[in-house]
mmCIF file of all heavy atoms in Angstrom:
data_model
loop_
_atom_site.group_PDB
_atom_site.id
_atom_site.type_symbol
_atom_site.label_atom_id
_atom_site.label_comp_id
_atom_site.label_asym_id
_atom_site.label_seq_id
_atom_site.Cartn_x
_atom_site.Cartn_y
_atom_site.Cartn_z
ATOM 1 N N VAL R 96 -18.522 4.617 -1.413
ATOM 2 C CA VAL R 96 -18.225 3.450 -2.244
ATOM 3 C C VAL R 96 -18.902 2.170 -1.621
ATOM 4 O O VAL R 96 -18.649 1.810 -0.438
ATOM 5 C CB VAL R 96 -16.711 3.141 -2.210
ATOM 6 C CG1 VAL R 96 -16.315 1.894 -3.086
ATOM 7 C CG2 VAL R 96 -15.942 4.402 -2.631
ATOM 8 N N TYR R 97 -19.683 1.521 -2.410
ATOM 9 C CA TYR R 97 -20.220 0.231 -2.089
ATOM 10 C C TYR R 97 -19.222 -0.815 -2.408
ATOM 11 O O TYR R 97 -18.383 -0.683 -3.228
ATOM 12 C CB TYR R 97 -21.462 -0.058 -2.978
ATOM 13 C CG TYR R 97 -22.802 0.462 -2.515
ATOM 14 C CD1 TYR R 97 -23.682 1.109 -3.433
ATOM 15 C CD2 TYR R 97 -23.274 0.323 -1.211
ATOM 16 C CE1 TYR R 97 -24.928 1.505 -3.082
ATOM 17 C CE2 TYR R 97 -24.472 0.726 -0.822
ATOM 18 C CZ TYR R 97 -25.315 1.414 -1.724
ATOM 19 O OH TYR R 97 -26.579 1.810 -1.370
ATOM 20 N N ILE R 98 -19.375 -2.003 -1.681
ATOM 21 C CA ILE R 98 -18.575 -3.182 -1.999
ATOM 22 C C ILE R 98 -19.491 -4.302 -2.141
ATOM 23 O O ILE R 98 -20.160 -4.772 -1.284
ATOM 24 C CB ILE R 98 -17.577 -3.515 -0.841
ATOM 25 C CG1 ILE R 98 -16.603 -2.369 -0.597
ATOM 26 C CG2 ILE R 98 -16.824 -4.780 -1.175
ATOM 27 C CD1 ILE R 98 -15.666 -2.565 0.588
ATOM 28 N N PRO R 99 -19.664 -4.862 -3.393
ATOM 29 C CA PRO R 99 -20.629 -5.890 -3.669
ATOM 30 C C PRO R 99 -19.983 -7.292 -3.376
ATOM 31 O O PRO R 99 -18.997 -7.661 -3.968
ATOM 32 C CB PRO R 99 -20.941 -5.761 -5.204
ATOM 33 C CG PRO R 99 -19.736 -5.043 -5.728
ATOM 34 C CD PRO R 99 -19.076 -4.312 -4.652
ATOM 35 N N TRP R 100 -20.610 -7.929 -2.442
ATOM 36 C CA TRP R 100 -20.097 -9.254 -1.955
ATOM 37 C C TRP R 100 -20.013 -10.268 -3.178
ATOM 38 O O TRP R 100 -18.942 -10.856 -3.347
ATOM 39 C CB TRP R 100 -21.025 -9.770 -0.921
ATOM 40 C CG TRP R 100 -20.761 -11.106 -0.298
ATOM 41 C CD1 TRP R 100 -19.678 -11.963 -0.569
ATOM 42 C CD2 TRP R 100 -21.591 -11.752 0.670
ATOM 43 N NE1 TRP R 100 -19.800 -13.094 0.241
ATOM 44 C CE2 TRP R 100 -20.938 -13.022 1.005
ATOM 45 C CE3 TRP R 100 -22.722 -11.433 1.349
ATOM 46 C CZ2 TRP R 100 -21.516 -13.880 1.900
ATOM 47 C CZ3 TRP R 100 -23.298 -12.302 2.264
ATOM 48 C CH2 TRP R 100 -22.695 -13.521 2.544
ATOM 49 N N ASN R 101 -21.004 -10.282 -4.063
ATOM 50 C CA ASN R 101 -21.054 -11.281 -5.083
ATOM 51 C C ASN R 101 -20.034 -10.991 -6.187
ATOM 52 O O ASN R 101 -19.690 -11.895 -6.952
ATOM 53 C CB ASN R 101 -22.451 -11.380 -5.737
ATOM 54 C CG ASN R 101 -23.034 -10.049 -6.275
ATOM 55 O OD1 ASN R 101 -22.301 -9.055 -6.254
ATOM 56 N ND2 ASN R 101 -24.287 -10.090 -6.582
ATOM 57 N N PHE R 102 -19.550 -9.773 -6.218
ATOM 58 C CA PHE R 102 -18.434 -9.418 -7.222
ATOM 59 C C PHE R 102 -17.147 -9.982 -6.784
ATOM 60 O O PHE R 102 -16.245 -10.226 -7.666
ATOM 61 C CB PHE R 102 -18.352 -7.903 -7.292
ATOM 62 C CG PHE R 102 -17.671 -7.333 -8.567
ATOM 63 C CD1 PHE R 102 -18.114 -7.667 -9.793
ATOM 64 C CD2 PHE R 102 -16.641 -6.469 -8.369
ATOM 65 C CE1 PHE R 102 -17.471 -7.084 -10.904
ATOM 66 C CE2 PHE R 102 -15.989 -5.923 -9.474
ATOM 67 C CZ PHE R 102 -16.409 -6.269 -10.756
ATOM 68 N N HIS R 103 -16.942 -10.174 -5.489
ATOM 69 C CA HIS R 103 -15.641 -10.659 -4.948
ATOM 70 C C HIS R 103 -15.608 -12.058 -4.481
ATOM 71 O O HIS R 103 -14.527 -12.669 -4.287
ATOM 72 C CB HIS R 103 -15.223 -9.700 -3.868
ATOM 73 C CG HIS R 103 -14.890 -8.257 -4.298
ATOM 74 N ND1 HIS R 103 -13.840 -7.945 -5.048
ATOM 75 C CD2 HIS R 103 -15.650 -7.167 -4.131
ATOM 76 C CE1 HIS R 103 -13.877 -6.628 -5.293
ATOM 77 N NE2 HIS R 103 -14.876 -6.114 -4.772
ATOM 78 N N GLU R 104 -16.820 -12.672 -4.215
ATOM 79 C CA GLU R 104 -16.812 -14.079 -3.813
ATOM 80 C C GLU R 104 -17.765 -14.836 -4.711
ATOM 81 O O GLU R 104 -18.975 -15.093 -4.297
ATOM 82 C CB GLU R 104 -17.176 -14.260 -2.363
ATOM 83 C CG GLU R 104 -17.018 -15.618 -1.856
ATOM 84 C CD GLU R 104 -17.301 -15.837 -0.365
ATOM 85 O OE1 GLU R 104 -17.755 -14.887 0.307
ATOM 86 O OE2 GLU R 104 -17.176 -16.931 0.118
ATOM 87 N N PRO R 105 -17.490 -15.108 -5.941
ATOM 88 C CA PRO R 105 -18.423 -15.672 -6.950
ATOM 89 C C PRO R 105 -18.842 -17.050 -6.543
ATOM 90 O O PRO R 105 -19.922 -17.517 -6.859
ATOM 91 C CB PRO R 105 -17.652 -15.728 -8.230
ATOM 92 C CG PRO R 105 -16.222 -15.664 -7.825
ATOM 93 C CD PRO R 105 -16.105 -14.859 -6.551
ATOM 94 N N LEU R 106 -18.025 -17.796 -5.821
ATOM 95 C CA LEU R 106 -18.336 -19.143 -5.321
ATOM 96 C C LEU R 106 -17.910 -19.160 -3.824
ATOM 97 O O LEU R 106 -16.979 -18.477 -3.434
ATOM 98 C CB LEU R 106 -17.665 -20.229 -6.084
ATOM 99 C CG LEU R 106 -18.096 -20.344 -7.594
ATOM 100 C CD1 LEU R 106 -17.257 -21.380 -8.267
ATOM 101 C CD2 LEU R 106 -19.576 -20.849 -7.602
ATOM 102 N N PRO R 107 -18.492 -19.998 -2.997
ATOM 103 C CA PRO R 107 -18.184 -20.007 -1.548
ATOM 104 C C PRO R 107 -16.639 -20.262 -1.399
ATOM 105 O O PRO R 107 -16.114 -21.274 -1.946
ATOM 106 C CB PRO R 107 -18.965 -21.159 -1.000
ATOM 107 C CG PRO R 107 -20.152 -21.285 -1.947
ATOM 108 C CD PRO R 107 -19.646 -20.890 -3.313
ATOM 109 N N GLY R 108 -15.978 -19.320 -0.755
ATOM 110 C CA GLY R 108 -14.557 -19.498 -0.411
ATOM 111 C C GLY R 108 -13.631 -19.161 -1.591
ATOM 112 O O GLY R 108 -12.388 -19.208 -1.371
ATOM 113 N N LEU R 109 -14.192 -18.735 -2.702
ATOM 114 C CA LEU R 109 -13.290 -18.359 -3.834
ATOM 115 C C LEU R 109 -13.354 -16.825 -3.961
ATOM 116 O O LEU R 109 -14.423 -16.221 -4.257
ATOM 117 C CB LEU R 109 -13.848 -18.942 -5.139
ATOM 118 C CG LEU R 109 -13.116 -18.567 -6.486
ATOM 119 C CD1 LEU R 109 -11.683 -19.079 -6.377
ATOM 120 C CD2 LEU R 109 -13.857 -19.137 -7.678
#
Side-chain angles (χ1 to χ4, degrees):
V96 182
Y97 276 135
I98 301 175
W100 180 3
N101 55 9
F102 197 58
H103 294 289
E104 192 180 1
L106 295 172
L109 177 65

